[in-house]
Amino acid sequence: MRRTKALLIGINYKPTSNSSFLSWDQLSGSHRDVKNMWKFLSQAEWTYDEVIMLTDETDATKVYRDNIIAHLEWLVKDCQPGDLLLLHYSGHGYQRPTRSPTEDDGFDE
């Protein structure tokens, strides 16, 4: 039986007194993006059996590195050929020099 799982991550980087996000510019649309994706998935012709949404809307610790990695592991755990997995991320990105000649601009995103 095909399993369907989705992990939706939205980070606005809202600064808090104990936040490591203080060096990032705060965003305003990441939570909305995740909610819109959730709505889209709920109205799609196929359904996802398991959907997890992580945002820093109410608790910044939900989007700390260790928690995101744990949820990425949840997403791929026991996956089989034919399973449908979705990862949606809305937040800041980063470019770094690539070691691969496949990137025309010389950077990985």
Side-chain angles (χ1 to χ4, degrees):
M1 178 177 188
R2 181 171 85 168
R3 296 175 53 205
T4 54
K5 297 168 77 173
L7 176 58
L8 315 177
I9 303 170
I11 308 174
N12 276 351
Y13 303 90
K14 182 178 178 182
T16 62
S17 61
N18 61 352
S19 175
S20 62
F21 300 147
L22 296 175
S23 63
W24 292 91
D25 291 333
Q26 184 173 344
L27 301 174
S28 62
S30 299
H31 301 158
R32 181 185 61 245
D33 293 346
V34 167
K35 290 174 185 175
N36 285 339
M37 181 57 77
W38 182 287
K39 183 178 178 182
F40 170 78
L41 292 176
S42 68
Q43 296 173 350
E45 60 186 73
W46 64 90
T47 59
Y48 280 80
D49 298 322
E50 301 173 77
V51 179
I52 292 180
M53 183 168 52
L54 300 177
T55 72
D56 59 344
E57 191 167 24
T58 59
D59 181 1
T61 63
K62 289 183 179 181
V63 295
Y64 281 5
R65 179 183 184 275
D66 290 344
N67 197 40
I68 290 175
I69 290 172
H71 282 85
L72 289 169
E73 290 171 351
W74 163 84
L75 183 65
V76 299
K77 184 179 180 186
D78 300 324
C79 69
Q80 300 292 319
D83 287 352
L84 185 59
L85 308 177
L86 173 73
L87 171 63
H88 171 87
Y89 172 80
S90 182
H92 282 294
Y94 180 74
Q95 287 187 314
R96 66 179 196 164
T98 185
R99 297 180 194 164
S100 170
T102 61
E103 294 287 342
D104 292 336
D105 65 358
F107 289 95
D108 286 327
E109 287 81 22

